[in-house]
Amino acid sequence: MEEILYVKIEQNIPVKSRTLTFQDIATLHCTNKNIVKTLEKEIFYTLPKEGSQKTIFTISKVYERIHKIYPGLRIENIGEQDFIVDLEKADAKEKGKTAEYIKTILTALIIFFGAAFTIMTFNEDVSVTKVFDKVYQMVMGTTKSGGTVLEFCYALGLPVGILVFYNHFQRKKRKNDPTPIQVEMRTYEEQVNKAMITTASREGKTIDAN
């Protein structure tokens, strides 16, 4: 019976060492466990000391390296065709904490005031105040003076609705589905990865089989 090695590689792989083993970059499966154990300890590639922190490889490079160890082994790819190896700096997280806090605060302020400005301009465009006046007059039969329960409920409903919609601030979520923000973040990450892979391929910077 022919042995088949199944290889699954993610689109973006964070690593901490420049010496990459197959265990660092891929999930391997084979009925022959000795093949998997041997390959996981083998060195796939050694990143240069200088250069970009992100390196793009093709699956052909993985096949080439495996066949040097096990010539003739049948390989089935169940992951990405091209993938990014992202080398993380050992001290980057420690040194960048203050900068990350500052960026987070600035981003939160920009989003807060931007959202507030958007809501105000929307209210002006659709004349929410006039709509509330008309509704009050139709229900109560008189012209309102000053604020009413309509404005209060509207002002309260906006933040409550946003919190419930994004489902992000509850300790126990009603369901395990990702929030809209998480979906957009994953979509953005995937698009960035695809753009990097395409650019590297066009510029001839992808590491392929020799």
Side-chain angles (χ1 to χ4, degrees):
M1 182 176 178
E2 184 182 16
E3 292 176 341
I4 304 174
L5 176 68
Y6 294 94
V7 179
K8 182 180 180 181
I9 302 179
E10 301 296 334
Q11 194 175 61
N12 192 303
I13 307 165
V15 296
K16 296 181 180 179
S17 174
R18 291 186 179 273
T19 302
L20 308 176
T21 63
F22 281 99
Q23 189 173 16
D24 295 328
I25 66 163
T27 301
L28 307 176
H29 175 74
C30 183
T31 53
N32 189 336
K33 302 300 181 183
N34 291 327
I35 292 178
V36 175
K37 289 180 179 179
T38 301
L39 284 174
E40 286 181 339
K41 297 177 181 178
E42 290 290 333
I43 296 176
F44 164 67
Y45 193 84
T46 301
L47 300 174
K49 294 182 179 180
E50 302 294 336
S52 175
Q53 298 297 115
K54 297 180 184 292
T55 309
I56 292 86
F57 294 89
T58 67
I59 193 65
S60 299
K61 186 66 177 178
V62 178
Y63 286 3
E64 179 188 53
R65 184 72 183 93
I66 293 175
H67 282 150
K68 285 184 179 180
I69 304 170
Y70 289 101
L73 178 65
R74 181 180 170 185
I75 305 172
E76 291 287 344
N77 178 34
I78 56 175
E80 297 290 333
Q81 295 291 330
D82 303 284
F83 58 97
I84 303 169
V85 172
D86 187 2
L87 180 62
E88 297 179 344
K89 294 182 179 179
D91 57 345
K93 292 184 178 180
E94 295 297 329
K95 290 184 178 180
K97 280 187 177 181
T98 303
E100 289 297 324
Y101 287 140
I102 294 174
K103 290 179 182 178
T104 302
I105 293 172
L106 289 176
T107 302
L109 290 174
I110 292 172
I111 294 174
F112 175 80
F113 287 108
F117 181 78
T118 301
I119 293 172
M120 288 188 293
T121 53
F122 169 79
N123 290 339
E124 287 296 320
D125 287 341
V126 300
S127 301
V128 173
T129 303
K130 293 182 180 179
V131 173
F132 285 164
D133 291 344
K134 188 67 175 178
V135 170
Y136 185 87
Q137 186 176 10
M138 290 172 61
V139 174
M140 303 301 294
T142 59
T143 303
K144 77 179 184 70
S145 58
T148 65
V149 68
L150 291 175
E151 286 82 0
F152 175 78
C153 291
Y154 180 72
L156 181 63
L158 278 175
V160 172
I162 291 172
L163 293 178
V164 172
F165 174 76
Y166 284 105
N167 193 27
H168 195 69
F169 298 96
Q170 301 178 20
R171 291 186 178 181
K172 293 185 179 180
K173 295 183 178 181
R174 292 171 297 177
K175 50 187 178 179
N176 294 323
D177 295 345
T179 65
I181 290 180
Q182 290 172 327
V183 172
E184 289 300 321
M185 288 177 63
R186 299 300 173 264
T187 302
Y188 173 75
E189 288 176 1
E190 185 176 354
Q191 291 175 345
V192 169
N193 291 335
K194 288 182 178 179
M196 290 179 61
I197 291 171
T198 302
T199 301
S201 178
R202 290 177 179 176
E203 295 178 354
K205 295 181 180 179
T206 303
I207 297 179
D208 205 343
N210 295 327

